[in-house]
Amino acid sequence: MFRDISIFAFAAVLLFIAAHSVVFRCGFKPLRFLCLRIAELWGLLLGAAPNWIMGIRVLAFWAGLFSFFVLLLTGFVPLLLGGRLEGVWLMLHATLAPVFVLCAAVMVLGGAHRYCFQKRDLEQIAALWKARKEKPRCCCVMDSEAAVKAGFWLLAALTLPLTLSMVLSMTPLFGTDGQHFLFRLHRYCALAFALTAILTVYALMRQKNRKDTEILTQ
Amino acid sequence: MTRTIILMIALLTAGRLSAQEAKLLGDGNDGNRSMPVHLLDLLDEDGKPIRAGDKDAKPFSTRTTCGQCHDYEAIRGGWHFSGHRDDVPSARVGQPWVLTDAATRTQIPVSGRGWPGTFKPEQVGLTAWDWVIQFGSHYPGGSYGEITADDPEQAIRQNISGKYEINCLACHHADPRHDASLAALQAARQNYRWAAAASSGKALVNGTASALSSFFDPEFDEGIKTTYLDGVFDKDNKVFFDIAGKPQDRQCHFCHSRQDLRVPESDEWTREWDVHSASGIHCTDCHKNGLDHQIARGVETNDPKTAALSCRGCHLEQSGTLPPQSGRLGAPQPAHKGIPPIHFEKMTCTACHCGTWPQDTAGRWRTARIHKLGLHGKHKQDLRLPHIYAPVLLKGSDGKIGSYAMIWPAFWATLADDTVTPIPPAKVMAAARDILSVEAERQDDWRPLTNEQIAQTLIRLKERQPDATPVYIAGGLLYRLDNAGLLASAPHPAAGAYSWPMAHDVRPAAQSLGVRGCADCHTADSPFFFGGVAVDTPLQGDRRFVQMAELQGIDRLFMWAFNASFVFRPMLKVVAFLGCGLIGLALLGYGLKALAAISRACAKEVE
């Protein structure tokens, strides 16, 4: 059941992104995007960050993103292949889970203020909506900062049940029925988190790409 | 047409009536739970009544005496009495009989049920007659005991000894004078015909069938004398039997006891009983049966009649079954707090709850049937061979890790097409007595065996059977002579250990694995995964161990790494709770801020 739901949900989200990126083109250049991000990270590692808090935030973002993808792969690939999370996959999953939680905490603390909804977010959505009439295939709500902010808060909220469902199952508080409930909760939260994260990263990439284009054209 | 239908109904009714008539007096059940008084005529094996004043009284026969009211033929199909039958399903593997011969360094698991890893009696050269001689001490009769001997010499002996009928009293006699050890003594004397009478406490039996000449004639020679005790017969020549419909535990225990040899005999009193027994639950409360005597073996099943007679059926709620089956006899439903459900998919209940708490190495155990425990008197034995190891935590045929007892086979055999056929110990001795009978101090209960002895014996066996390839199996290896005539050894499936589930000596929840947390099993040196099981062999200097993880089909390195990762488990929890706390605070703080903003916006709108 969960496997079928997961396959359907991932397929739907990926198809949506594919269709969206075709319909609402934003001039995305993958190679340029990748090079710029690597350069950013490299610069950060060489001490180019404006301050150490910024450095930690960016590092937490990349470490969190990496651990998220590893958790996504180890958590869902065995399941989608008809198996279950066990053995080396499980070890990898359990090893990176605390890294991910730690990074998530840093990102939420570091980004909460920045990702607060503002009045200008509404204005930006309105502006995008208007611009849609002039450039119908270039601008959409996904390109707004509000989309990324919504993703941020949703992910922050999902992190709690996602993490607690697994950590609480490691305590002698829940019996077999409780364990089953927590396991199901973890799975569905993980699915919701993964889908939200993919969509948020997509929105973030579009936003970053737009900024890259603006900077390079100036 | 109407006539035909009426005729058919009449025939069916007649058939039904005749079937009801055929049902014997004791085989019905009108629902009254009291036990009928068993005041019976004693009948001998020919069905003739036995009276108080009979001169040269014969022993009573359970087949004819109990058969007056119970369907003996139906009972013969029961689990205890059908071990020789191919038409009875072999079901889950169980404890085998073990053919042991110290001189030839032999221990072969034997079973007529065809369990993988065991040999059928005929494969090890045992006739039904031989089988009863070997294993008759802890045996309720029937099965091989009632097979007519084909061998003329054995047929003569069987004529003297009688058949070993099902000894109903072995299980159902509640009289405290019933002495199973005496039945074993009669079996040792080959007094099979007298076993039930002698052990019942109602008669004295003097004489030894095995000591009688094959030319013995009961009409003229003095043979075995049966003397019924005073007061056994009432004035109507009837005899009272104190019969228990549900056998008492002590009767089951005679054949189904186990002893942990790590506990000194003087400390045997410290050994705990199975928690069920200690709680007053009897063997037959779970191991039930009907007239067919197909005893429920505690195996999980979907059969509604026996579904509740397993650990899971009794203790765990089965969703969707109505009426509810679990909780029989007040069985508690375990919470299993903090234990991830994957454990219940990968392990049986017995893995955590049965036998003794796992130690660095599996201990040596003895069982009543294999080591002839419980005999007292002159025929008491103190057998140390064969070597049984327990509890061994391995993966069974159901794919789950459970608690098992294990024996490593050791025997001489011939090899053809990669199939091993044991050579009966008598034949081995006939070929190599002078090689194998060397006097030497026993090592670990075995008479030590050297590579030279194996090689010389194999040469002797080859001389006797030039077309065959003689081999010796021990310690998980198959020994044979290579083309150059040198002894070579290699693993072989037939040399693998035979194991059977241990489902008893259940420990209470507070003494089960996991009660102290994950570290009961998930440490880098936990006996559950890394406990050693001795690879038993009589070969000198060949002391090897196999780790439980190997028997569980788990990569040792992986398991070590997995268990080692549990060291960081507390850290993981701290980090996760800390992370969640920070995120929660941020959500709360900014959530309240958002609420305030909304409230402010609403207030402005109103203004």
Side-chain angles (χ1 to χ4, degrees):
Chain A
M1 171 74 170
F2 178 74
R3 181 171 173 262
D4 296 337
I5 290 174
S6 303
I7 291 171
F8 177 78
F10 276 114
V13 165
L14 293 176
L15 274 175
F16 167 77
I17 289 173
H20 187 270
S21 60
V22 170
V23 173
F24 299 102
R25 290 178 190 280
C26 61
F28 185 71
K29 294 184 173 63
L31 198 64
R32 185 188 75 183
F33 182 84
L34 198 66
C35 290
L36 285 171
R37 298 292 83 76
I38 291 171
E40 259 179 28
L41 192 63
W42 189 248
L44 197 70
L45 291 172
L46 293 177
N51 55 55
W52 63 272
I53 295 175
M54 181 66 181
I56 287 175
R57 269 181 56 192
V58 177
L59 269 181
F61 173 78
W62 284 107
L65 196 64
F66 170 75
S67 55
F68 163 71
F69 276 109
V70 175
L71 291 173
L72 181 73
L73 290 175
T74 54
F76 282 99
V77 169
L79 181 81
L80 299 180
L81 293 175
R84 65 188 310 162
L85 177 55
E86 58 186 357
V88 178
W89 294 94
L90 178 61
M91 279 178 68
L92 209 55
H93 197 84
T95 306
L96 282 176
V99 176
F100 171 76
V101 177
L102 207 60
C103 292
V106 171
M107 280 196 292
V108 169
L109 283 183
H113 188 72
R114 184 182 158 195
Y115 285 102
C116 267
F117 286 103
Q118 310 279 342
K119 199 178 175 187
R120 68 166 188 270
D121 293 324
L122 273 175
E123 291 165 1
Q124 192 193 19
I125 291 172
L128 282 168
W129 189 254
K130 275 184 191 169
R132 186 175 151 268
K133 288 177 183 168
E134 295 160 18
K135 300 175 187 172
R137 295 176 65 82
C138 191
C139 299
C140 79
V141 180
M142 281 293 277
D143 292 331
S144 69
E145 274 202 25
V148 179
K149 285 179 178 179
F152 174 84
W153 287 110
L154 198 54
L155 289 173
L158 280 169
T159 306
L160 288 182
L162 176 66
T163 309
L164 289 176
S165 58
M166 215 11 74
V167 181
L168 285 175
S169 74
M170 294 176 191
T171 63
L173 294 173
F174 292 89
T176 307
D177 290 341
Q179 294 275 346
H180 276 297
F181 168 74
L182 289 172
F183 182 61
R184 277 199 299 273
L185 183 66
H186 183 74
R187 281 179 140 188
Y188 283 103
C189 284
L191 180 62
F193 187 95
L195 299 177
T196 311
I198 290 169
L199 285 170
T200 308
V201 168
Y202 171 64
L204 204 60
M205 282 168 71
R206 284 181 70 101
Q207 207 179 76
K208 275 271 183 194
N209 184 65
R210 213 177 55 207
K211 281 182 183 168
D212 292 343
T213 310
E214 283 170 13
I215 292 166
L216 290 171
T217 49
Q218 276 170 7
Chain B
M1 179 66 182
T2 313
R3 286 177 63 187
T4 315
I5 292 171
I6 290 169
L7 189 64
M8 281 175 68
I9 291 170
L11 281 171
L12 283 170
T13 312
R16 193 179 163 83
L17 283 173
S18 68
Q20 281 178 350
E21 280 165 12
K23 193 160 66 179
L24 294 170
L25 184 65
D27 292 340
N29 188 342
D30 64 0
N32 191 312
R33 296 199 163 186
S34 65
M35 175 52 63
V37 173
H38 284 70
L39 200 57
L40 311 172
D41 288 320
L42 286 191
L43 305 180
D44 68 15
E45 64 183 355
D46 299 321
K48 291 179 185 164
I50 301 166
R51 305 291 180 198
D54 282 356
K55 195 187 169 199
D56 295 332
K58 289 188 173 177
F60 66 83
S61 153
T62 47
R63 179 174 51 80
T64 55
T65 303
C66 305
Q68 294 174 88
C69 300
H70 297 285
D71 187 348
Y72 188 85
E73 283 306 312
I75 293 165
R76 284 175 82 175
W79 179 252
H80 284 92
F81 319 115
S82 58
H84 65 294
R85 281 168 58 172
D86 291 329
D87 60 325
V88 176
S90 58
R92 186 186 70 181
V93 297
Q95 182 183 154
W97 303 95
V98 180
L99 178 63
T100 311
D101 182 64
T104 55
R105 284 72 162 177
T106 294
Q107 53 181 37
I108 313 179
V110 176
S111 172
R113 300 188 196 275
W115 288 324
T118 64
F119 291 93
K120 293 204 166 197
E122 56 268 27
Q123 289 178 294
V124 294
L126 292 179
T127 63
W129 174 255
D130 297 328
W131 192 94
V132 179
I133 290 175
Q134 278 284 340
F135 307 121
S137 67
H138 288 67
Y139 178 57
S143 186
Y144 290 103
E146 290 190 301
I147 295 174
T148 305
D150 290 331
D151 180 78
E153 197 177 320
Q154 293 185 347
I156 290 169
R157 300 307 314 176
Q158 192 176 49
N159 203 29
I160 296 168
S161 296
K163 288 185 176 173
Y164 200 158
E165 294 173 351
I166 295 172
N167 185 359
C168 311
L169 301 178
C171 302
H172 292 285
H173 202 195
D175 188 334
R177 287 177 303 176
H178 185 91
D179 189 349
S181 179
L182 263 182
L185 178 62
Q186 300 307 314
R189 292 174 173 172
Q190 297 180 14
N191 294 349
Y192 305 128
R193 186 181 284 126
W194 292 266
S199 59
S200 69
K202 299 194 181 301
L204 292 176
V205 174
N206 291 308
T208 303
S210 61
L212 297 176
S213 156
S214 293
F215 299 105
F216 168 75
D217 187 336
E219 293 292 323
F220 303 104
D221 302 332
E222 189 170 335
I224 298 162
K225 190 169 173 57
T226 309
T227 312
Y228 287 93
L229 304 182
D230 292 342
V232 165
F233 293 90
D234 70 4
K235 63 181 174 52
D236 297 324
N237 272 317
K238 289 188 184 292
V239 174
F240 170 69
F241 284 92
D242 185 3
I243 293 297
K246 288 168 63 174
Q248 298 173 326
D249 288 3
R250 68 183 180 97
Q251 288 157 317
C252 307
H253 287 153
F254 185 73
C255 295
H256 295 286
S257 292
R258 290 184 298 213
Q259 185 189 27
D260 182 352
L261 288 174
R262 282 181 298 203
V263 179
E265 200 171 324
S266 57
D267 289 347
E268 187 61 30
W269 61 274
T270 61
R271 217 156 62 87
E272 292 291 348
W273 287 62
D274 185 296
V275 69
H276 298 93
S277 298
S279 307
I281 295 171
H282 302 296
C283 306
T284 49
D285 287 331
C286 297
H287 298 289
K288 293 182 173 191
N289 63 273
L291 172 66
D292 61 6
H293 283 62
Q294 283 295 348
I295 290 170
R297 296 180 69 211
V299 179
E300 286 171 25
T301 167
N302 292 324
D303 182 351
K305 281 194 280 190
T306 52
L309 303 178
S310 67
C311 309
R312 193 177 285 267
C314 210
H315 285 282
L316 297 177
E317 194 181 338
Q318 308 294 312
S319 57
T321 53
L322 279 175
Q325 299 275 325
S326 60
R328 287 177 57 247
L329 309 170
Q333 296 213 351
H336 285 134
K337 283 187 175 176
I339 299 178
I342 194 167
H343 288 77
F344 311 121
E345 295 169 33
K346 299 249 177 191
M347 301 194 304
T348 63
C349 307
T350 61
C352 300
H353 292 278
C354 282
T356 46
W357 188 278
Q359 297 181 24
D360 289 343
T361 55
R364 284 249 304 278
W365 285 56
R366 297 199 297 185
T367 79
R369 276 170 45 201
I370 294 176
H371 297 90
K372 303 189 188 302
L373 308 180
L375 305 182
H376 44 85
K378 287 178 183 170
H379 59 305
K380 179 177 170 63
Q381 302 197 42
D382 186 24
L383 301 175
R384 296 286 153 164
L385 283 176
H387 290 166
I388 308 289
Y389 294 91
V392 179
L393 296 151
L394 55 83
K395 189 183 274 185
S397 56
D398 57 356
K400 290 184 175 182
I401 296 170
S403 188
Y404 284 76
M406 176 183 269
I407 180 172
W408 292 91
F411 56 92
W412 303 89
T414 54
L415 183 71
D417 299 330
D418 214 32
T419 303
V420 165
T421 308
I423 303 172
K427 284 190 179 175
V428 177
M429 277 311 273
R433 183 180 301 276
D434 55 325
I435 300 167
L436 296 172
S437 299
V438 177
E439 276 304 317
E441 192 180 336
R442 289 197 176 208
Q443 292 187 356
D444 194 23
D445 307 327
W446 282 105
R447 287 189 188 179
L449 190 66
T450 61
N451 284 332
E452 291 72 32
Q453 282 174 302
I454 295 177
Q456 287 170 12
T457 306
L458 290 177
I459 291 167
R460 290 280 182 84
L461 292 170
K462 181 78 178 167
E463 285 168 4
R464 295 222 166 189
Q465 283 183 280
D467 299 334
T469 306
V471 295
Y472 180 61
I473 277 174
L477 299 172
L478 181 144
Y479 296 82
R480 61 189 293 183
L481 295 172
D482 63 14
N483 294 335
L486 299 171
L487 191 68
S489 64
H492 191 275
Y498 176 78
S499 47
W500 65 95
M502 282 176 75
H504 279 293
D505 291 345
V506 176
R507 302 194 300 274
Q511 294 175 10
S512 298
L513 286 177
V515 72
R516 298 178 305 177
C518 308
D520 276 351
C521 301
H522 292 293
T523 56
D525 59 352
S526 81
F528 189 95
F529 294 108
F530 304 108
V533 183
V535 182
D536 187 34
T537 174
L539 252 83
Q540 280 182 307
D542 189 16
R543 187 87 175 143
R544 286 175 291 133
F545 286 87
V546 61
Q547 284 185 330
M548 305 262 189
E550 291 176 62
L551 299 168
Q552 291 160 7
I554 301 172
D555 182 75
R556 279 186 299 168
L557 183 63
F558 163 73
M559 206 62 232
W560 178 86
F562 186 76
N563 285 355
S565 73
F566 276 71
V567 174
F568 305 105
R569 190 58 77 88
M571 210 187 307
L572 183 152
K573 289 180 196 171
V574 169
V575 167
F577 279 124
L578 192 70
C580 286
L582 291 174
I583 293 170
L585 283 174
L587 281 171
L588 187 68
Y590 281 90
L592 290 172
K593 207 173 157 186
L595 273 176
I598 292 167
S599 176
R600 268 199 307 274
C602 290
K604 275 183 187 172
E605 284 293 319
V606 171
E607 284 168 11

